[in-house]
Amino acid sequence: MQNFNFQDFEIWFVTGAQLLYGGDAVKHVDAHSNEMVAGLNKSGNLPVKVVYKGTANSSAEVAAALSAANADKKCAGVITWMHTFSPAKMWIHGLKGYQKPLLHLHTQFNKEIPWSEIDMDFMNLNQSAHGDREFGHIVSRMRKNRKVVVGHWQDGKVHEHIAVWMRVAAAWADAQDMRIIRFGDNMNNVAVTDGDKVEAEIRLGYHVDYFSIGDLAAEVKRVSEKQVDELVAAYEKEYDFADNAKRGGKDHAQVREAARIEAALRKFLEAKGAKAFTTNFDALHEINQLPGLAAQRLMAEGYGFGAEGDWKTAALVRTMKVMAHGLDGGTSFLEDYTYHFKGKGSILQAHMLEICPSIAGAKPRMEVHPLGIGGKADPARLVFTAHEGAGVAATVVDMGNRFRMIVNLVDVVKPEAALPKLPVASALWIPQPNLEAGAAAWIYAGGTHHTSFSYPLTREYMEDYADIADIEMVTIDGNTSIPEFKKELRLNEVYYLLNRALQY
Ligand code: MN
């Protein structure tokens, strides 16, 4: 994946303790913690390496550990655990300055109570049950978001929850130096794809820069015929071809032109250190065709993408691609296009061209067709239908006083029949709980027509992200009822107004 590797990150593990029980107790705590961290790493269930940072036995030690975590580039977050009782006032100074994701692992070293041997020494050493409650209190008292995972450290379910959070923590770290390149502005007059880029950088970390499409056009002119030949050969290996798009076909020149744009765009993004980009069909100037194929293939390499200048979606696509990295199933930019009012009701998701082939159900087909918008030459594109399966569709909107993330659980289904005349990639999904309530809730929440969609991700990932970013999140799922959902939106309005006044 472009510019991303889980191996570039670490998660630190800090065990809370105190010296009340004597130096021997701390030695046990330390030995147990070492064994647990080694066990977590050996489980093979965690995408990011856990690094044990020792016990923290005083306010100064906590502050030192957490400020070191803030400063360390590799550290994407900290896991805390209280083996014994760790009086939580000693966590105040450290937590006050701590800026990265926090996971509180509420576990204990032993899995079961040793009935015949348990004595007070054992109890004093193994008292996470109350030590972790003391720690949890101060985190709540300080209004710090964190994820609490409960269970024995060797349990696969516990690993799953930690793994989700690790993926999100790494995606969060990735977003903190994410540069998004926008060719042109947002599509004129469109409200929902626009927003406050300054607030986005403060709150979400990523940075959005504007470039003229002329800068890309200049790069297109520098692409050699050999580079084009190589890309077209790669296309021929990976995709089927429509007759007119094939070598010798009447529109093959458009495929070559698309390859030229792809090579230029990739080079441009690499040179600028960008992880995501947007285009605008209305601002193409010397570019011969809308860069649809390039957007499709660059998304498949891990770049975030949003059409019509939609930088918020470009950022979210990148972030969700990082979260999902290495998992089965794809992640793509999509747009709600057309409804099918039958049964539960479904939505045909598509775009003018730019859907990521990672969600394709079968080998994509290279086609060239006219595009009835933008007034440019006929663009090449990959055409396919997304495979069946559950997934999440998400968007972030700017509500004026805050960002709101809207998440809808959806079920991608097989279309009733082939769509032989549809010249673009598509996905047909049923939004949960059904089209009627799903679409109504989405609209009440102010959601976009653009989404970032992913098969392997679940609500838990999105919730971890919203908690880390400290933004509002509303979920539309199988239990959504419109009266309750409207109430949630109204309560959130009050919560976020008051939250500003209460911020620590
Ligand atoms: Mn669009």
Side-chain angles (χ1 to χ4, degrees):
M1 178 160 171
Q2 188 62 33
N3 296 324
F4 180 80
N5 197 333
F6 282 118
Q7 269 107 60
D8 293 340
F9 297 100
E10 290 174 351
I11 294 295
W12 289 10
F13 190 105
V14 177
T15 304
Q18 63 169 335
L19 299 172
L20 178 73
Y21 312 105
D24 274 358
V26 172
K27 274 184 209 155
H28 283 302
V29 168
D30 202 48
H32 289 168
S33 302
N34 261 311
E35 193 179 330
M36 287 163 63
V37 169
L40 289 172
N41 284 325
K42 260 188 245 152
S43 72
N45 295 330
L46 304 181
V48 182
K49 188 182 172 197
V50 186
V51 179
Y52 178 49
K53 288 287 169 178
T55 59
N57 298 295
S58 65
S59 181
E61 286 179 23
V62 168
L66 294 187
S67 73
N70 276 337
D72 190 278
K73 270 208 146 183
K74 284 192 94 176
C75 176
V78 172
I79 297 176
T80 54
W81 170 59
M82 310 301 124
H83 192 331
T84 63
F85 196 73
S86 175
K89 285 182 193 167
M90 73 182 218
W91 286 86
I92 291 174
H93 293 287
L95 284 173
K96 209 166 164 184
Y98 183 60
Q99 297 290 330
K100 291 185 176 176
L102 180 67
L103 183 142
H104 178 193
L105 180 58
H106 183 44
T107 188
Q108 76 185 9
F109 179 70
N110 56 302
K111 190 175 177 193
E112 295 175 17
I113 294 174
W115 304 108
S116 62
E117 285 169 27
I118 187 165
D119 57 11
M120 280 317 286
D121 283 347
F122 182 93
M123 295 251 281
N124 282 332
L125 185 63
N126 297 282
Q127 52 174 308
S128 323
H130 75 273
D132 270 333
R133 280 174 165 76
E134 165 73 1
F135 172 77
H137 167 74
I138 204 65
V139 187
S140 291
R141 171 75 172 75
M142 294 176 74
R143 273 77 172 176
K144 285 266 181 189
N145 290 348
R146 79 293 202 186
K147 182 172 192 173
V148 178
V149 175
V150 181
H152 191 247
W153 57 278
Q154 288 171 315
D155 184 348
K157 268 196 184 151
V158 166
H159 298 169
E160 271 174 42
H161 293 302
I162 297 174
V164 166
W165 174 83
M166 280 180 161
R167 288 175 167 277
V168 178
W172 178 253
D174 177 78
Q176 301 315 298
D177 71 346
M178 188 196 301
R179 187 183 196 189
I180 300 169
I181 288 188
R182 260 186 346 148
F183 293 106
D185 203 331
N186 285 62
M187 185 177 167
N188 286 339
N189 267 320
V190 177
V192 76
T193 57
D194 216 337
D196 185 340
K197 297 194 286 292
V198 178
E199 191 60 23
E201 189 157 345
I202 294 170
R203 181 62 66 179
L204 305 169
Y206 58 74
H207 175 83
V208 187
D209 273 328
Y210 157 86
F211 281 88
S212 160
I213 196 77
D215 297 335
L216 179 61
E219 197 63 57
V220 172
K221 289 192 186 108
R222 288 194 278 271
V223 175
S224 69
E225 289 307 307
K226 183 170 169 274
Q227 280 175 282
V228 173
D229 290 343
E230 283 168 3
L231 268 178
V232 172
Y235 299 165
E236 286 169 339
K237 268 194 189 156
E238 286 180 58
Y239 317 120
D240 291 331
F241 273 64
D243 283 345
N244 64 327
K246 272 182 192 155
R247 220 171 268 261
K250 76 174 175 59
D251 293 318
H252 184 68
Q254 286 304 101
V255 175
R256 290 188 64 82
E257 196 56 32
R260 200 179 304 280
I261 296 168
E262 178 188 326
L265 187 49
R266 182 180 290 104
K267 191 174 167 208
F268 195 93
L269 296 173
E270 279 170 4
K272 304 291 179 201
K275 297 173 182 173
F277 67 103
T278 72
T279 56
N280 187 330
F281 66 85
D282 224 8
L284 293 176
H285 300 280
E286 310 98 307
I287 301 284
N288 144 293
Q289 55 181 282
L290 178 65
L293 180 65
Q296 291 184 294
R297 286 176 47 86
L298 288 166
M299 253 191 285
E301 287 171 23
Y303 284 96
F305 174 77
E308 294 103 40
D310 186 351
W311 49 272
K312 293 197 299 303
T313 302
L316 191 58
V317 169
R318 165 68 183 190
T319 289
M320 288 171 71
K321 278 184 174 284
V322 171
M323 291 178 194
H325 179 49
L327 301 177
D328 288 340
T331 300
S332 181
F333 167 79
L334 280 169
E335 177 169 85
D336 300 288
Y337 234 111
T338 299
Y339 285 139
H340 188 52
F341 283 117
K342 192 177 167 189
K344 279 186 157 185
S346 51
I347 317 173
L348 188 67
Q349 302 286 324
H351 203 261
M352 286 185 288
L353 307 169
E354 310 93 331
I355 312 296
C356 180
S358 66
I359 66 169
K363 199 175 187 182
R365 191 173 140 96
M366 181 76 74
E367 300 187 13
V368 177
H369 300 277
L371 186 70
I373 194 164
K376 300 301 267 186
D378 302 350
R381 81 286 307 268
L382 297 172
V383 180
F384 55 85
T385 305
H387 62 84
E388 290 170 81
V392 293
T395 186
V396 172
V397 294
D398 185 343
M399 295 301 289
N401 62 350
R402 66 187 184 278
F403 291 109
R404 167 183 285 162
M405 184 160 71
I406 304 153
V407 175
N408 193 183
L409 308 191
V410 301
D411 294 296
V412 180
V413 293
K414 201 172 173 225
E416 279 174 25
L419 304 95
K421 291 191 173 170
L422 190 71
V424 291
S426 65
L428 184 74
W429 76 45
I430 301 172
Q432 290 189 16
N434 51 50
L435 177 58
E436 185 187 353
W442 188 273
I443 288 170
Y444 279 124
T448 35
H449 49 281
H450 287 168
T451 57
S452 176
F453 165 78
S454 180
Y455 286 106
L457 301 186
T458 60
R459 178 222 307 259
E460 185 179 354
Y461 288 86
M462 307 316 290
E463 201 173 315
D464 285 359
Y465 174 80
D467 281 342
I468 291 169
D470 198 15
I471 60 170
E472 179 186 6
M473 169 173 152
V474 290
T475 308
I476 306 163
D477 61 16
N479 297 318
T480 294
S481 87
I482 293 301
E484 287 301 312
F485 191 77
K486 285 165 83 172
K487 196 171 21 172
E488 183 183 353
L489 295 178
R490 284 195 295 265
L491 289 174
N492 283 0
E493 201 68 65
V494 179
Y495 168 82
Y496 281 94
L497 283 172
L498 290 178
N499 196 35
R500 284 280 158 106
L502 275 175
Q503 279 209 348
Y504 278 67

